[in-house]
Amino acid sequence: MVTAPGSRRRQRETPRGGRQLGGSSQAPPPRRSETRRRPPPPAAMGSPRRSPLAHVFKGTFVHSSSSAPMEILHGHLLGVNDSGTIVFLEQADQQEQLAKKWGFKTSDIRELSNHEFFMPGMVDTHIHAPQYLFTGTRVDLPLLQWLSTYTFPTEAKYKDSDFAEEVYTRVVRRTLKNGTTTACYFATIYTDTSLLLAEIVDKFGQRAFVGKVCMDMNDTVPHYKEITADSVQETERFVKELLEKKYPRVQPIITPRFGPSCSEDLLCALGDLAQARDLHVQSHISENEEEIKLVENMFPAYQNYTELYDKNKLLTSKTVMAHACYLSEEELKLFSLRGAAISHCPSSNFSLRSGVLNVQKVLKHNVKLGLGTDVAGGYSASMLDAIRKTMMASNSLQINKVNETGLTLAEVFQLATLGGSQALGLDDVIGNFEVGKEFDALLINLKASDSPFDLFSADSFEDTLQKFLYLGDDRNISEVYVAGKQVVPFSSSV
């Protein structure tokens, strides 16, 4: 299960020979107290000759740590055991000692070429699976009109399981191909097809949270809403049935759509359920100004939007809220106090003209933050696009003199990987190549067939890495691993 144990891992030092890039102006938020998980011991002397390791890779590894937004580790060896856990990451000159300790032969090592490297899998902290149907279209209206004109009528079709299966299969395949190893999905109000999404995610080997959407208020598309008691009961059924499946890396998440779609009774009941079952929570907050005014009018007893969630037990250390463009200092302090996280969705924020989140301000308040594609308000299902739009949003704040400096590309790389794992409470399991974590990784080929960018002899490795982050796409992502298992290219069974 993906639930992060409440244990604190010791901070791993930069491996010898590691290079740190893009000095961070803000340290990542402090992590919960965690116990470091030890990898299983190596095979004893006299055991069978087969290596106890599933993979040994030799080459370049690029990842983030809590002390550096980007580390480039050339000439390193990384070992993964049969359960998908990283058991060593050391300089290649340690090969002889590592081989003796872990029982692998030179022929077991897969050596990367000089135009290949591994990076951690990317974490999409906010994506609407049913909206994938119209991704890349219909971004011509502001949020509330966009929901009633396009989104609610589309989501109402997902009662049909055949229809849902086709779209959900495609969105999981597409996001995996694009390098999303972990996704935090909104489904729809329909329990059975939301369970189907979880089944498809598990079949393809992606790591995910899946949420059955809860909404008991919808005047604009009245046939797409639930009765309050039914919404709570169906959410309980969704959680129970999904947990009974015992999928290793797919977990339920309590999902009130957002303030304007939920009565106070529904929010209260969902908060009680999340607390009783110790579940993760996702929703939207302060996406656009019209939405905020609506919440103020609907819930006058609350001081602000954040308090609406907080007083109903929905703002916890297991909560991730999308957008948050207009949170006050007071609200950010409450996020920090509760340990709640924000999903930054710049593509959607720009496309629907919602607003611009000041990421640096959020990080200064020690609030956990990851990136989201927010399909289909965001028109791309690629986290590489989310990285690029995050840079643009940061640049726009600097142009408009809101911030003196902008985020670096290295810092944004960190947000797309380690930052996302922190936002979802998975940073003791995934997010970088620290020993003891699971191997969620992308093999990047900078000279892939039909690569969308050109390399030149004068390019340094750092140049080629930047070209990939700004110009690369799924053609450069040659293999994808989740918990040590290769999930892309897809096997014939899926």
Side-chain angles (χ1 to χ4, degrees):
M1 226 170 283
V2 281
T3 307
S7 47
R8 176 166 182 102
R9 83 179 34 259
R10 263 183 345 214
Q11 188 174 318
R12 187 177 189 280
E13 295 178 2
T14 306
R16 291 177 302 148
R19 174 137 182 232
Q20 299 184 0
L21 289 183
S24 178
S25 53
Q26 295 87 25
R31 286 187 271 170
R32 304 176 302 292
S33 175
E34 299 164 347
T35 314
R36 183 183 177 83
R37 294 177 307 154
R38 294 174 185 273
M45 293 293 289
S47 57
R49 294 230 4 138
R50 189 181 79 80
S51 168
L53 302 180
H55 307 286
V56 183
F57 296 109
K58 184 178 184 178
T60 297
F61 301 85
V62 180
H63 73 160
S64 303
S65 70
S66 52
S67 59
M70 184 182 281
E71 294 177 358
I72 297 174
L73 310 175
H74 292 299
H76 275 64
L77 280 165
L78 182 145
V80 181
N81 68 13
D82 282 337
S83 58
T85 302
I86 299 165
V87 292
F88 61 79
L89 176 60
E90 298 288 348
Q91 280 192 311
D93 62 12
Q94 301 298 302
Q95 181 176 322
E96 197 177 324
Q97 295 94 309
L98 289 167
K100 199 175 291 182
K101 179 178 179 181
W102 291 100
F104 64 86
K105 304 186 292 294
T106 305
S107 58
D108 295 324
I109 299 170
R110 177 171 170 189
E111 192 157 356
L112 307 187
S113 72
N114 59 10
H115 55 264
E116 290 179 312
F117 69 91
F118 271 111
M119 64 173 277
M122 291 182 282
V123 180
D124 188 345
T125 58
H126 186 71
I127 175 169
H128 294 263
Q131 295 173 24
Y132 183 66
L133 181 74
F134 63 95
T135 307
T137 70
R138 306 181 201 174
V139 284
D140 57 339
L141 293 172
L143 174 67
L144 299 182
Q145 293 76 14
W146 178 83
L147 287 169
S148 57
T149 306
Y150 305 129
T151 304
F152 295 153
T154 298
E155 291 190 11
K157 297 176 183 176
Y158 283 80
K159 206 167 186 175
D160 180 336
S161 60
D162 290 339
F163 176 81
E165 183 173 14
E166 181 188 0
V167 181
Y168 288 163
T169 299
R170 291 193 184 195
V171 70
V172 173
R173 286 179 65 98
R174 179 64 62 187
T175 53
L176 274 172
K177 277 180 68 176
N178 284 341
T180 299
T181 50
T182 299
C184 197
Y185 287 113
F186 275 60
T188 67
I189 65 174
Y190 305 115
T191 304
D192 291 336
T193 54
S194 298
L195 289 165
L196 177 61
L197 172 58
E199 181 185 332
I200 291 165
V201 168
D202 175 69
K203 182 176 76 170
F204 279 94
Q206 194 174 44
R207 191 185 299 273
F209 290 97
V210 175
K212 174 216 155 301
V213 172
C214 300
M215 48 190 289
D216 61 349
M217 300 176 74
N218 189 357
D219 293 338
T220 57
V221 185
H223 65 280
Y224 188 62
K225 68 177 179 182
E226 306 162 287
I227 296 165
T228 308
D230 291 348
S231 183
V232 176
Q233 191 177 346
E234 283 299 293
T235 301
E236 288 172 343
R237 177 167 81 89
F238 173 78
V239 169
K240 179 176 179 289
E241 292 190 18
L242 180 44
L243 291 175
E244 282 172 354
K245 297 284 186 184
K246 292 186 163 43
Y247 297 136
R249 280 168 287 280
V250 186
Q251 185 171 310
I253 183 165
I254 299 298
T255 307
R257 184 170 211 114
F258 70 150
S261 290
C262 299
S263 66
E264 195 170 3
D265 286 347
L266 179 56
L267 292 172
C268 182
L270 293 175
D272 287 342
L273 176 59
Q275 184 182 61
R277 301 296 298 270
D278 193 25
L279 296 168
H280 288 253
V281 175
Q282 65 177 345
S283 193
H284 304 83
I285 194 167
S286 297
E287 183 172 353
N288 90 351
E289 291 174 310
E290 189 183 4
E291 169 211 11
I292 296 166
K293 283 178 189 144
L294 188 55
V295 169
E296 283 173 5
N297 293 334
M298 288 174 63
F299 302 100
Y302 295 89
Q303 286 183 29
N304 52 51
Y305 206 158
T306 302
E307 188 177 272
L308 174 66
Y309 289 123
D310 185 54
K311 296 282 191 190
N312 287 291
K313 304 179 188 171
L314 291 165
L315 195 77
T316 74
S317 61
K318 290 189 166 186
T319 296
V320 59
M321 289 283 172
H323 304 289
C325 297
Y326 300 97
L327 294 185
S328 65
E329 295 279 332
E330 185 184 8
E331 288 177 285
L332 283 169
K333 283 175 185 169
L334 188 53
F335 262 77
S336 180
L337 184 67
R338 297 288 184 256
I342 288 170
S343 173
H344 177 37
C345 304
S347 179
S348 171
N349 291 343
F350 283 136
S351 294
L352 303 183
R353 279 82 68 198
S354 297
V356 183
L357 174 66
N358 190 336
V359 169
Q360 288 162 297
K361 182 179 172 184
V362 170
L363 295 176
K364 278 174 185 163
H365 279 84
N366 280 326
V367 174
K368 296 175 291 187
L369 185 138
L371 306 184
T373 59
D374 194 22
V375 163
Y379 57 73
S380 171
S382 170
M383 282 295 293
L384 289 170
D385 178 76
I387 287 173
R388 294 156 197 169
K389 295 295 191 305
T390 298
M391 289 299 296
M392 292 301 166
S394 173
N395 292 347
S396 73
L397 292 171
Q398 196 177 353
I399 289 167
N400 288 296
K401 310 272 191 295
V402 176
N403 293 336
E404 286 183 20
T405 59
L407 293 165
T408 66
L409 186 59
E411 287 169 330
V412 177
F413 170 86
Q414 181 181 43
L415 294 176
T417 53
L418 184 59
S421 73
Q422 290 168 341
L424 298 182
L426 294 173
D427 49 307
D428 63 333
V429 182
I430 58 164
N432 60 13
F433 296 134
E434 186 180 339
V435 170
K437 291 192 182 185
E438 295 183 13
F439 186 67
D440 284 18
L442 314 179
L443 179 62
I444 308 303
N445 184 351
L446 297 163
K447 287 188 177 177
S449 173
D450 205 24
S451 175
F453 57 88
D454 294 300
L455 302 180
F456 295 92
S457 56
D459 289 339
S460 65
F461 179 79
E462 288 83 352
D463 292 332
T464 63
L465 175 56
Q466 287 189 30
K467 285 186 176 186
F468 167 70
L469 292 175
Y470 274 124
L471 300 169
D473 61 24
D474 61 301
R475 287 169 288 188
N476 301 106
I477 302 172
S478 54
E479 294 174 12
V480 177
Y481 294 80
V482 176
K485 181 187 175 190
Q486 187 178 316
V487 294
V488 174
F490 301 113
S491 72
S492 55
S493 63
V494 295

